[in-house]
Amino acid sequence: MRKKLFAFSVAALLLTGCTEKPNDLTEKPVDFDKETPREPIVKKRDETFVADPATFHFTADWLSDSAILFVEKDEDRYLVKSFDFNTGKTETLHEESAIIIELLIHPSKKFILLHTSDNPASAKVKILTTDGVLQNEIEVASTELAIEWNDLDPSLVLLTAFHQDWTYDLFLFNGEEGDFGLLEIEDPFPKWYGDKQIAIGDVENHILDGGQIRTYQPLNGAWDRLDLEGVIYFDTFEDSLLTMQMADGETAVYRIWDLEGRLRSEWTLPAISNYSEWVIPQMEWLSDNSLVLFAPTQAGQLDELTAPIRLVKVVDGTIEEIDANHEPGFIRCSPSGQACLTGISLETIVDMKEGKKNNWLRFPE
C-alpha cells in the first residue's frame, strides 16, 4: 500500500555538512553473531591517506579501531576500500559497477550494507560480510531510499521506498528467513527498539509541541503507546531509547530509557530552533547509555548563534567536554569509543580521552 509522507519530526541535525520483490538470496546467510568484537585502541595515528578529489566518493565509518572504510570511483566502478592509519595500508574489499549511494557498517563490525543504484527509479541493497562475501541482495522500486538497520540483529532491515510523487512504501526485510514484505505503518522513518519492536512518532498538533511514541511488533502485529508526552525527537540504539523534550523555551531535556520504560540517564542542554522547528544536535551512540554529540553553549535561534559549539561525551547522564570549540560536521566513533571521526568529510580523528585532533584524510592543495 502506498502512503503519503508523514514524519514525526523534520528537525534538522545541528551543524552538519552538505546527506517489489527481492531477488533470490545469493547464498544462505551466515550465522549472525550478535557479539561485538572489541579491539584495543591503537595509539599510533600517524599515517595519512592522500585522496584524489576527482575519484574520492565519501568516507563511510570505522572498520576497526585503526581502519576506516571509504568509497572511491575508478573509471566505471565504485570501490569499497579500507585505510589503516597505523600501517598506512590501503585494501580494496569490494567492487560495484553501480554507484554506491550509502554504505553502513553494522555495530558488530561483521557486516556491511550497500545502497546502490544504476537506475533513477530503483535501488539495490546488498548485505556483505566485512571481507566482501555477499549474503543478501534486494531490489526495491524507489527514487529515494531510507534504511534502518537493526543494531542487535543484522538480518533485520527496514526500507522506506520513496516515489517520485513522495508517496512511500515501507518494507521489512528478514535475511534470516528470506522474507520481504510491506508494513502498514503511517510513518516513513520508524526506528528499531530492541530486536522485536519498532518505535514510531505520533504528532497530533504542531511539531514544536512534540508528540508521543508508539511501538509496533511485526511478529504479532501488536501496537502499544509509551507513557511519554511532548517528545520533540527520539532515537534508538539496541535496547535503549533516547528522547528529547522541552523543559522551557531555552532548555532541552534528554533522557535514555530501557525496553521496560525505566530511566537510565538524564541531562539538559541549551535549546536551539530555526523558528519553525527545534534543531537536534548531531550525535553518535557509544553504548546503550553513552553518546558523543555536538552541544550548543547557549540557547537561541540557529542563524543568530555566536557562541562556539562543543564536542562532548555523555556517559550515564554526565557531560564531559572533549573540545570547547569544534568545527561542524558529522560524527562516527570507533568500536572502542576511544576515537571519533568528525568533519564534513569525516577527515579528522579526535582522541576522546585527550581531545587531540589530527587528519587521516588529506586532499592535495
Side-chain angles (χ1 to χ4, degrees), residues 17 49 90 153 157-158 212 218 234-236 267 284 287 341 345:
F49 180 77
T90 301
D153 186 346
V157 186
L158 295 172
Q212 296 182 312
F234 75 94
D235 194 19
T236 60
W267 68 94
E284 171 88 343
S287 71
L341 300 176
S345 299

Side-chain angles (χ1 to χ4, degrees), residues 150-153 156 191-198 236-240 259:
N150 191 284
D151 296 315
L152 292 168
D153 186 346
L156 298 175
K191 296 179 182 291
W192 287 106
Y193 187 16
D195 60 353
K196 300 291 191 300
Q197 64 182 350
I198 298 165
T236 60
F237 177 72
E238 296 184 349
D239 63 351
S240 290
L259 277 173

Side-chain angles (χ1 to χ4, degrees), residues 331-358:
I331 309 173
R332 298 286 187 276
C333 295
S334 64
S336 67
Q338 295 187 43
C340 295
L341 300 176
T342 66
I344 301 302
S345 299
L346 295 170
E347 70 279 3
T348 301
I349 299 176
V350 182
D351 187 307
M352 298 304 289
K353 286 188 174 181
E354 302 179 3
K356 294 181 179 179
K357 296 178 284 186
N358 67 283

Side-chain angles (χ1 to χ4, degrees), residues 283-298:
M283 61 184 70
E284 171 88 343
W285 290 86
L286 296 178
S287 71
D288 60 8
N289 201 23
S290 62
L291 304 97
V292 174
L293 66 153
F294 290 120
T297 53
Q298 66 181 40

Side-chain angles (χ1 to χ4, degrees), residues 254-271:
Y254 295 83
R255 297 182 176 95
I256 296 179
W257 313 82
D258 67 13
L259 277 173
E260 284 70 42
R262 294 185 293 258
L263 184 64
R264 281 182 165 158
S265 61
E266 177 179 334
W267 68 94
T268 62
L269 288 174

